Amino acid sequence: MKSNWIFAILFISLIACGRDQAEERVVEEELREVPEFNADSAYSFIQRQVDFGPRVPNTEAHQETKRWLVEKFNEYGMQVTEQDFEAKAYDGTNLKLTNIFAAHNPQASKRILLAAHWDTRHLADKDTENIEQPIDGANDGGSGVGVILEIARVIATSGMDPEVGVDFILFDGEDYGEPEQTKPSDRNHSQIWWALGSQHWSRNPHEAGYSAYYGILLDMVGAKGARFYREGYSMQYARNIVQKVWRNAHRLGHGDFFPMRDSHEIIDDHVFVNQVAKIPMIDIVEYSPDYGFGKYHHTHQDSMDLIDRRTLKAVGETVLFTIYQE
């Protein structure tokens, strides 16, 4: 999306002098130039992840993907930090996990944080067959990372720097929660087994005192026909950021993807960033207030066949535009 200068025109009707008198006034809002988000490139980043196989913690595919992700951020000249840690899963498995943090323009005082999770589900607990097998996670895991890598590539190679520092964090261990079939009586309600990476980072940031102006989490942002409603915790903790991002989406012509309608609260990585790290973070996530997650969720349908470049473009352009207007 190349646009030298964009002018938003606002018509305001005023009532003056005790009588109905309409006055038309033009308010010009000057917007910064934004480099182009390439949906084909984002798609290829998702395909590369899927080619490694399911990125389940404690597997070789997980380790190979980690090395590739770090390599890509280094290639784009980012300052990269690998946060290795261990966490116990709901089933007692000791998971070896890594949060990957990359900073562009680390000297800038005002910073925007973009996040996604890079691990994939270890079982297809919502499927009807091969339930014990891990899923590809093309959308749930792969799509958020693909959009983030494309934004990092664009910022690094376009020659057009945003006026703020941009940080990228890929959380690990987000999707290793209890199976869908777990009975409520068998759940440990004192422990949230999802979002292990963001729980760890929020309590133990990679850099003491780290903060950001706000954050945007991308989760399941590539499916055909996706709709991104205004998630509940996002509205609770960062309503003004939600309004800004959704308004930008409509301004860019992506209103069909970003309905002006609220949805329910979802336990996702942004909850811990908001509550523990105290950084206002919103969640762009496919979750309908009418039927919840898509039918592909935690099934083997979450493959490359699900991914749509138009959805990637809508999300990627909106986030990139938002960053460059700061």
Side-chain angles (χ1 to χ4, degrees), residues 12-257:
I12 305 176
S13 294
L14 301 174
I15 298 177
C17 303
R19 65 182 183 275
D20 292 340
Q21 178 182 349
E23 175 189 340
E24 187 177 88
R25 188 171 64 188
V26 177
V27 179
E28 293 184 347
E29 181 184 356
E30 193 174 277
L31 303 176
R32 293 195 68 224
E33 185 179 5
V34 182
E36 182 178 0
F37 180 91
N38 188 322
D40 288 333
S41 178
Y43 185 94
S44 71
F45 288 140
I46 300 170
Q47 181 69 70
R48 187 70 182 91
Q49 294 171 81
V50 171
D51 288 345
F52 283 117
R55 283 83 64 206
V56 177
N58 296 355
T59 66
E60 182 57 30
H62 184 260
Q63 288 299 305
E64 289 178 354
T65 305
K66 180 180 77 170
R67 289 190 288 268
W68 176 73
L69 291 170
V70 170
E71 178 184 303
K72 296 306 291 182
F73 282 127
N74 280 322
E75 179 184 330
Y76 300 144
M78 306 286 172
Q79 180 177 296
V80 183
T81 303
E82 298 177 56
Q83 186 184 53
D84 297 323
F85 65 103
E86 294 186 2
K88 183 172 290 188
Y90 69 93
D91 59 359
T93 301
N94 191 51
L95 303 175
K96 296 183 178 180
L97 305 172
T98 303
N99 292 326
I100 302 170
F101 190 93
H104 176 78
N105 188 13
Q107 291 77 31
S109 57
K110 183 177 181 179
R111 314 203 61 77
I112 308 300
L113 178 61
L114 303 184
H117 75 88
W118 68 276
D119 63 303
T120 52
R121 187 78 170 139
H122 59 299
L123 42 77
D125 48 322
K126 289 186 177 180
D127 215 321
T128 57
E129 56 185 18
N130 298 321
I131 294 175
E132 299 300 322
Q133 296 300 312
I135 66 172
D136 285 345
N139 195 37
D140 193 357
S143 64
V145 174
V147 170
I148 277 184
L149 286 179
E150 173 58 11
I151 290 175
R153 185 194 70 80
V154 168
I155 290 175
T157 62
S158 66
M160 299 164 58
D161 254 5
E163 293 185 356
V164 293
V166 183
D167 296 321
F168 306 89
I169 186 163
L170 303 182
F171 292 121
D172 202 356
E174 190 272 349
D175 231 349
Y176 212 102
E178 306 102 317
E180 181 76 8
Q181 298 82 4
T182 304
K183 297 178 182 178
S185 58
D186 293 336
R187 295 180 185 270
N188 181 353
H189 296 284
S190 65
Q191 171 69 45
I192 297 176
W193 300 107
W194 305 88
L196 299 175
S198 57
Q199 289 192 60
H200 178 83
W201 179 82
S202 294
R203 297 186 178 98
N204 308 277
H206 68 290
E207 175 185 302
Y210 174 82
S211 188
Y213 182 50
Y214 65 82
I216 300 175
L217 174 66
L218 306 177
D219 194 0
M220 293 177 281
V221 292
K224 297 174 183 175
R227 295 294 181 266
F228 306 105
Y229 297 90
R230 299 177 298 196
E231 185 272 336
Y233 286 120
S234 303
M235 293 294 285
Q236 177 181 338
Y237 290 106
R239 176 183 296 267
N240 61 324
I241 307 303
V242 174
Q243 292 172 337
K244 175 191 298 188
V245 172
W246 262 247
R247 189 166 56 244
N248 286 340
H250 283 251
R251 172 182 279 166
L252 296 170
H254 301 314
D256 286 350
F257 290 92

Side-chain angles (χ1 to χ4, degrees), residues 253-290:
H254 301 314
D256 286 350
F257 290 92
F258 289 82
M260 293 294 190
R261 182 183 173 192
D262 294 351
S263 186
H264 308 297
E265 295 88 356
I266 302 172
I267 295 294
D268 207 345
D269 288 316
H270 70 307
V271 172
F272 306 98
V273 176
N274 277 295
Q275 294 180 349
V276 182
K278 305 302 181 183
I279 297 172
M281 175 176 276
I282 70 170
D283 192 5
I284 300 178
V285 58
E286 184 186 0
Y287 186 91
S288 169
D290 298 320

